[in-house]
Amino acid sequence: MELSSTRVVRKPWGKTDLRPWSELGHDGVAVGELWFQRADRQAPEPDLLLKLLFTEEPLSIQVHPDDTFAKAIGLPHGKTEAWYVLSATAEGRVALGLKRTLTPPQLRAAIEDGSIPELVHWQDVSANEALLVPAGTIHAIGAGLVIAEIQQRSDATFRLFDHGRQRELHLDGAVASSVAGPAIVQTAPVRLSEARNVVAQSPYFVMEQIDLAPSSHWEVDALSETWFLVLEGEAAFDLMQVASGEAMFLKGHRATVRTGERGAKGLMAYVASSPVAGLLQSRNGIPMEVMAKRFPELGLDRPPALPRVGSS
């Protein structure tokens, strides 16, 4: 179990003020992404990448390959991802899929003549909305959004259109890896409990929206790789305080989680093809003295320490 480190990724479409999600930046250079990474740089690379995206301008229209195509070009795997919208302006929108099915020659022609923006399917989005983006889906993220993203850990991206930024387009890769038609129908969230709401699931990961009540205690039994991003409030994982904008990495570890007076809201993403019922369990019904005996090193009879300020 680790408190993750944060990598700042500069992008031409990013923002210079990331508040309230992070205090990083403020040097006048646009930040597009914050990547949450293993604190131990010598540790094995995780299967998933958790990040925050900040968009002042629209991103390129792009597509990611699936596992089969990625391996055919020498990459270990493809890139399926999911988005959770944290905030959106009134004009905030994303593109998922095309309005109609195109043949490969038609898609190639639309990329070459620059007409692809008129063929993608744009839709309005709002805060607390989640979207699954399977590999092969042509997609784009518009301006005025803050998005939490979980993805297969891959940089494989083929650009189809870039709003005049003069970056390279990837014609052959885009045509070969795209499912050139409408996107999949999004599934409705599945509520597992008052605290857990499954908002996206794929063969590679599950993403849940988490709402932990004030002054409550829980147990996380993370057999597979698990990321927990705190968005509001604070929580203590064993003895480690986690504030808003910070993320925990767990794998093969069982931890107690205690919330403060404001509770804790966030996202939990983990490697699985379906929700894991026993991953997060309430322990409020277990007497505190029993929990204290089970985890004597945690000092559960003491109130949680105050969260750190400005550490994200």
Side-chain angles (χ1 to χ4, degrees), residues 225-307:
E225 176 182 323
T226 302
W227 294 87
F228 198 115
L229 172 64
V230 177
L231 297 172
E232 296 180 28
E234 67 281 332
F237 284 71
D238 289 351
L239 294 178
M240 199 173 302
Q241 297 296 322
V242 187
S244 176
E246 295 182 328
M248 291 296 298
F249 172 88
L250 304 95
K251 185 176 182 180
H253 184 83
R254 187 177 69 173
T256 62
V257 179
R258 291 179 295 155
T259 66
E261 294 181 353
R262 295 188 297 158
K265 295 183 179 181
L267 297 173
M268 183 171 67
Y270 49 93
V271 174
S273 58
S274 60
V276 177
L279 177 57
L280 177 66
Q281 297 281 350
S282 172
R283 292 294 179 254
N284 289 339
I286 297 179
M288 184 63 72
E289 58 270 19
V290 174
M291 289 295 290
K293 290 179 179 179
R294 183 180 298 182
F295 300 96
E297 72 278 11
L298 301 183
L300 294 177
D301 55 339
R302 300 193 302 268
L306 293 175

Side-chain angles (χ1 to χ4, degrees), residues 45-49 77 151-154 225 227 251 271:
E45 186 174 82
D47 292 322
L48 303 178
L49 174 60
H77 51 74
Q151 60 164 86
Q152 286 179 275
R153 195 174 185 90
S154 170
E225 176 182 323
W227 294 87
K251 185 176 182 180
V271 174

Side-chain angles (χ1 to χ4, degrees), residues 10 16 22 81 130 136 145 162 166 198 205 214 218 222 234 278 298 303:
R10 311 289 185 178
T16 56
S22 174
E81 61 192 32
L145 299 172
D162 199 33
Q166 307 304 315
V198 177
F205 57 77
W218 307 76
E234 67 281 332
L298 301 183

Side-chain angles (χ1 to χ4, degrees), residues 149-167:
E149 177 180 294
I150 191 70
Q151 60 164 86
Q152 286 179 275
R153 195 174 185 90
S154 170
D155 289 331
T157 297
F158 302 120
R159 280 192 293 269
L160 292 76
F161 183 84
D162 199 33
H163 306 281
R165 295 190 183 102
Q166 307 304 315
R167 294 187 296 178

Side-chain angles (χ1 to χ4, degrees), residues 47-106:
D47 292 322
L48 303 178
L49 174 60
L50 173 66
K51 61 173 69 169
L52 296 182
L53 288 76
F54 304 86
T55 70
E56 193 71 32
E57 301 175 4
L59 280 64
S60 63
I61 298 175
Q62 56 188 240
V63 66
H64 307 305
D66 63 13
D67 289 348
T68 300
F69 187 84
K71 291 176 181 178
I73 60 174
L75 300 174
H77 51 74
K79 183 178 175 182
T80 286
E81 61 192 32
W83 305 330
Y84 186 85
V85 181
L86 300 181
S87 69
T89 62
E91 297 77 26
R93 60 179 190 160
V94 300
L96 281 181
L98 302 180
K99 296 175 181 177
R100 57 185 176 86
T101 299
L102 301 180
T103 65
Q106 289 172 330

